[in-house]
Structure formats: C-alpha cells, structure tokens
Amino acid sequence: MLKSVGINFIFTITTSILGFFLNRYFVVYLGINYLGVIKLFTEILAYLSIVDMGIGSAAAYGLYKPLAEKNYEKINIVFSTLKSIYIKISMFILIFGVVITFFLGFFIKDIVITNEIKIYWLLMVSNTAITYLFGKYITLFNSDQKFNFVKIVQGSTRIVSFLFQIILLIRFQSFLGIGILIVLESIFQYVIYSIYYRKKYSYINITKARDKTIFKNLKNLFYHKLAGLVVFNTDLILISKYVSIEIVGIYASYQMVYRMIMVLIGILIGVISPITGRYIASHSKKDIFKLFNLLNTLFIILAIISSYLFYNLISSFIGIWLGEKYILSQGTSFLITINLFIGISRQILEIFKENSGFFDDIYNPIMEAVINFVFSIILVKFYGLNGVIIGTIISNLIVVMGIKPIMTFNRAFDKGIIDYIKIYGKNLILIFFTFFIGNFLKKYFIIKILNINTWILQGVILTLLILFVTVIVFLIDKDFRKILKEKRWEK
C-alpha cells in the first residue's frame, strides 16, 4: 500500500509541476485563447465519453473474483465482453467527434474556428478513441492488483510527453504539434499495455460469449457518472459560450491548481478508504459513526487549511506563473475557494457511503446535476464567470452538504436529521471562528511577494498561522478532545 502511495505521489507531483510549466509556455508562446480552446475541448470530449456508462467499473468488479480464483473461463467471458464494448465506444467517439467538428463554433463565442483548430479537435477525438482501445487492459491490470505497473506507464509517458511539448512550444510554437504528441503518448501506452498483456495473460482467449452480470449496476453507475460530468465538466463550456474563450483559459488555470489539490487529497483517500471499508465490515454502526466523526473532523481541518491557503495565495501565484493580467478578482477567488472547501470536506462522507454499499441514491446525482446546470445557465447571463461558479455552489449546498449527508446518516449510521444538525452545526461554528480568527491575524503576517521565493515564504508563514489557529479553535470543543484521546485503529 505504502509503495503504491509513494509511486502515485511522485508521479502526481512531477506531472503537476511539468503541467504548470507547460501551461505557462503555452500562454507565453501561443496565447491564453489557445489554452482556453484546449481546456474547452477536454470538457466536450468528456461528454462524448459518457457513452461508456461506467462499464469499466462494472467490469472491474466482475473480474475481481475470477482473477483471485483463477477461473479462466469467467475471465475470458468478462474480458471479451469488455473488449467488444470498448471497441464500439471507440468507434462511436470517432464518428460523433467528426460530426461535432462542423458545430464547434456553437461552443465558442468570440474566435473564428480555423482549420488548425478543427484539426486539433480531430487529433483529440482520435486520442480519446485510442484510450478506449487500451482501456480494457487497464481495467484488467487494475483488477489483478497491477496498480503500480499502470501508474508507472501512465506517469512515465506523461512526463516524457510533457517534456517534448514544452520543447516544441519553445522551439516551434506549434499548436498542432502539441496535439500530435498527445496522440503519440496514447499510442505508446497502447503498445506497452499490449506487450504486457500478451506476456502475462496468454491464458485469456477471446470468446463470443458475453457476461450480462456486469450490466447489473450499470444504471446506478451511469447516473452517478452523468451527474459528475455535469457538475465538473460543464463550467468551461458555459463560460466559452456566454463569456469568452480567454476567460476559459484563465479560469482553467485556477482549476488546474484546484485539481492538483484534489489529486493530492485523493492519494490520502486511497489509503483511508480500504482501511475504513474493513472497519465497517467488522464493527457496529455505533462504532462506525464514532470513526466517521473523527475522520470527518480531520478532513474539515484539512479543508480549512487548504482553502485558507488557496484564497490567500492563489492570486499571487497566478501573477508569478502566468502574469498579473491573468489574475481573477478576489470575489471570484472566494467563490472558487468555497467549492474547494466543499470538495475536500465531502470526501469522507463519500467514503463511508460507498463502503457501506449505498449506491442506489440515483436521484441525488440527478438532482445535483439539474440544479447545477439550471442555476449556472441562468446566472451566467447576469454575472458571467461568477454566475457559473455560484451555480455549482448552490448545488453543492443543497445536495452535497444537505440531502446526501442526511440520507447517508440514516442508511449508514442509523442516525436521523437531528444528529446531522448537531454534527454539521457544531462544525459550522468551529469553521466560522477558525476563518474569522485566521483572517484577523493574517494582517500581522503579510509580506510583500516579489518572486517565487517570497511566495513560498509567505505560504509557510500562513500555513503555520492557520494550523495553529485551527488546532486551538478545535481543541475548545470537548467532543474533539474526547475523539483525539480514544483509540480508533487498534483493530
């Protein structure tokens, strides 16, 4: 486990740093509009990919047992089913991707769709189609606990690709060259996975038989995936359509920092989730609820620290990274910070929900997606970028922080709405005082940021400040002190 986490962390940090350099050179040599186009195309392609309906997750679940029991007949059937479906998905993406080429102007408000942009789009469509051709291998390898191999291949090819993209930008300023390198990265991954598959899984024979059981939970998986798609992959499309492609590029840069933080949180989640799953399987709901309170409090503290630093450091970081003209208003940064706080603090509830087998809440993701889309498309016309972000905040507050926790409390912990109000109300008070004190004391610790060195120094100072304030405030709560003293992990 620790080895997997270490590998994941190293590749995540390395690719993230190179990604920041790549974005900077993209803006310097090609301009913010081209960066906006790339980010927009990524979100459009995510909608094309919805056609897989979560089949990879369903197939992975169907492979766990036969791989462990070496049931080769069952493995052949499941893998053959997955291969057949992924080939169809790949063809669908290619066909509809070509069709969308003629309608790209619908998504972009303020730039002319040149042949260069169309060719880049077709390269990205081809790249997405290729990823589905080797998607069956990744599902098989991960189901067979070959996580490290997959991560090493993905991380290594991504690092090499990023390095060549940076060189290409500096030397030739080629927009299409970037697209070609991205396609070559996927082709190279396909070749490596194919060779490894033929070497390690020679016992698999493709058959015409199909496994219908992998479609059992597909409906629920599809609704959750569709909702996640609308919530997390609609903003840039709406911004491009109703605001400008330049704002897409700027906002996407803020999102890049946001997502890097969430990826790092995801590494921690990867460690906690299986431990929590085993605990849930062997303990009473009373003990499970106690563990939830501990981890929920710890993640709220993590969300406080991350959000405080993001809000106070993001503008100066963007100024150093891309230039001061690409800095959004503090009001916009504040709205992004709210979503970041919710994004981090919600993670532990999702872990307990999923590990308790609570998957049939299909109306929650549908409601979240509808609320997000409706409010975003209404508010963007009045408030531009801020309207889109507010739409996401509204859906988060209603569903993620309201309806979903109440349902999970009932299903996973046998607790009612009163318990939810007590826990979340107490935490809300602690959060308020922590931010209030942290912001009040901040003025005594602000230094002038001139370069990356002074930015790092400011970051260290603010980290120590908010960490100290958070611990002091949360120690005031007697329940938190009691939780810290209890032994939770002895089993």
Side-chain angles (χ1 to χ4, degrees):
M1 176 65 74
L2 290 177
K3 182 180 179 181
S4 297
V5 172
I7 291 173
N8 201 357
F9 181 78
I10 291 171
F11 279 117
T12 298
I13 292 298
T14 305
T15 53
S16 295
I17 292 173
L18 287 175
F20 283 118
F21 278 107
L22 180 61
N23 269 33
R24 172 177 171 76
Y25 289 126
F26 214 103
V27 172
V28 170
Y29 292 105
L30 293 178
I32 196 70
N33 284 351
Y34 274 108
L35 180 63
V37 167
I38 287 180
K39 302 300 183 182
L40 172 65
F41 285 177
T42 300
E43 292 212 343
I44 297 174
L45 285 167
Y47 273 89
L48 280 181
S49 299
I50 191 62
V51 70
D52 77 3
M53 299 193 301
I55 191 69
S57 299
Y61 180 79
L63 281 168
Y64 289 141
K65 186 174 181 180
L67 282 168
E69 297 176 349
K70 299 188 184 301
N71 185 342
Y72 299 131
E73 181 181 359
K74 183 68 172 179
I75 294 171
N76 290 340
I77 294 173
V78 175
F79 186 77
S80 298
T81 304
L82 183 63
K83 179 180 179 180
S84 174
I85 293 172
Y86 272 170
I87 288 175
K88 291 182 175 68
I89 292 173
S90 181
M91 294 302 297
F92 171 88
I93 289 174
L94 274 176
I95 293 170
F96 275 82
V98 171
V99 172
I100 289 175
T101 305
F102 300 99
F103 301 95
L104 289 176
F106 172 80
F107 300 99
I108 303 177
K109 177 182 179 181
D110 53 355
I111 66 170
V112 177
I113 305 298
T114 63
N115 288 333
E116 184 181 39
I117 291 177
K118 291 179 180 178
I119 294 172
Y120 183 88
W121 163 256
L122 292 174
L123 286 170
M124 292 302 95
V125 169
S126 302
N127 178 69
T128 304
I130 292 170
T131 62
Y132 277 99
L133 293 179
F134 63 72
K136 59 184 179 290
Y137 298 133
I138 293 178
T139 300
L140 174 65
F141 300 156
N142 283 334
S143 299
D144 201 22
Q145 310 299 303
K146 301 293 192 300
F147 310 109
N148 291 345
F149 171 74
V150 173
K151 191 62 185 179
I152 289 171
V153 172
Q154 291 177 334
S156 300
T157 53
R158 179 58 54 85
I159 289 171
V160 173
S161 177
F162 276 5
L163 288 172
F164 275 105
Q165 288 179 52
I166 290 171
I167 293 172
L168 191 69
L169 282 172
I170 296 174
R171 292 291 301 275
F172 303 104
Q173 297 85 51
S174 175
F175 181 56
L176 291 181
I178 297 297
I180 293 171
L181 284 174
I182 293 173
V183 173
L184 289 175
E185 176 190 342
S186 292
I187 292 174
F188 195 61
Q189 283 192 42
Y190 178 82
V191 171
I192 295 174
Y193 291 138
S194 298
I195 294 172
Y196 188 81
Y197 166 76
R198 289 195 295 269
K199 182 178 179 181
K200 298 291 185 179
Y201 299 88
S202 57
Y203 60 82
I204 294 181
N205 297 307
I206 302 302
T207 175
K208 292 184 179 180
R210 296 293 179 259
D211 181 14
K212 296 181 180 180
T213 61
I214 66 174
F215 297 98
K216 184 178 180 181
N217 291 318
L218 210 53
K219 180 181 177 181
N220 295 344
L221 287 169
F222 173 72
Y223 284 125
H224 283 279
K225 182 170 182 178
L226 177 61
L229 187 66
V230 174
V231 172
F232 297 110
N233 292 276
T234 302
D235 288 1
L236 298 188
I237 295 176
L238 293 176
I239 295 167
S240 174
K241 175 68 177 176
Y242 294 103
V243 187
S244 73
I245 197 68
E246 180 182 10
I247 295 299
V248 169
I250 297 172
Y251 180 58
S253 299
Y254 279 73
Q255 279 192 321
M256 187 175 179
V257 179
Y258 176 108
R259 286 173 178 168
M260 180 182 176
I261 295 171
M262 294 307 300
V263 167
L264 294 175
I265 297 296
I267 295 174
L268 179 60
I269 293 295
V271 176
I272 291 176
S273 184
I275 297 173
T276 304
R278 289 193 295 270
Y279 191 92
I280 289 173
S282 59
H283 288 74
S284 67
K285 289 193 175 183
K286 181 179 179 180
D287 288 334
I288 293 170
F289 186 61
K290 290 179 180 178
L291 178 63
F292 168 78
N293 282 332
L294 168 64
L295 293 177
N296 188 47
T297 302
L298 293 177
F299 265 74
I300 286 174
I301 291 174
L302 188 60
I304 289 172
I305 295 171
S306 301
S307 302
Y308 183 84
L309 294 176
F310 180 89
Y311 177 74
N312 287 292
L313 295 171
I314 186 63
S315 294
S316 53
F317 176 76
I318 294 293
I320 296 171
W321 175 31
L322 299 176
E324 292 189 2
K325 65 180 180 178
Y326 300 116
I327 297 175
L328 297 172
S329 69
Q330 280 299 100
T332 303
S333 296
F334 177 72
L335 294 174
I336 300 172
T337 302
I338 293 175
N339 275 331
L340 175 63
F341 181 89
I342 296 173
I344 296 173
S345 60
R346 72 182 288 183
Q347 295 300 316
I348 207 65
L349 184 81
E350 295 290 341
I351 288 178
F352 277 82
K353 172 182 170 295
E354 293 176 7
N355 286 334
S356 297
F358 184 15
F359 296 111
D360 56 347
D361 60 328
I362 61 174
Y363 298 109
N364 282 341
I366 294 174
M367 188 186 309
E368 183 181 0
V370 170
I371 293 172
N372 180 281
F373 183 77
V374 170
F375 275 98
S376 293
I377 203 166
I378 292 173
L379 295 174
V380 69
K381 297 177 180 180
F382 296 97
Y383 304 106
L385 170 60
N386 288 348
V388 175
I389 305 173
I390 292 171
T392 304
I393 292 174
I394 292 172
S395 68
N396 277 332
L397 291 176
I398 294 175
V399 180
V400 175
M401 303 303 291
I403 297 173
K404 186 178 289 187
I406 293 172
M407 293 182 68
T408 304
F409 267 49
N410 180 260
R411 294 281 294 274
F413 310 131
D414 284 339
K415 299 291 183 179
I417 191 170
I418 300 300
D419 298 290
Y420 159 79
I421 293 173
K422 287 180 179 178
I423 296 296
Y424 277 70
K426 177 197 70 175
N427 289 334
L428 187 62
I429 294 172
L430 294 173
I431 291 165
F432 172 79
F433 278 105
T434 302
F435 278 126
F436 179 81
I437 296 172
N439 285 324
F440 175 77
L441 296 176
K442 179 182 67 176
K443 59 187 177 183
Y444 300 106
F445 296 92
I446 293 295
I447 63 174
K448 188 174 183 179
I449 298 176
L450 302 174
N451 49 44
I452 191 63
N453 294 326
T454 50
W455 182 85
I456 292 174
L457 178 60
Q458 179 70 92
V460 172
I461 293 172
L462 291 179
T463 299
L464 294 175
L465 171 63
I466 193 60
L467 184 61
F468 173 77
V469 172
T470 303
V471 171
I472 294 299
V473 171
F474 273 74
L475 282 175
I476 294 174
D477 176 50
K478 63 179 182 181
D479 292 328
F480 178 67
R481 295 199 305 270
K482 181 180 177 181
I483 289 171
L484 290 179
K485 293 177 182 178
E486 292 183 9
K487 295 180 180 179
R488 302 280 174 176
W489 302 95
E490 58 187 11
K491 296 184 180 181

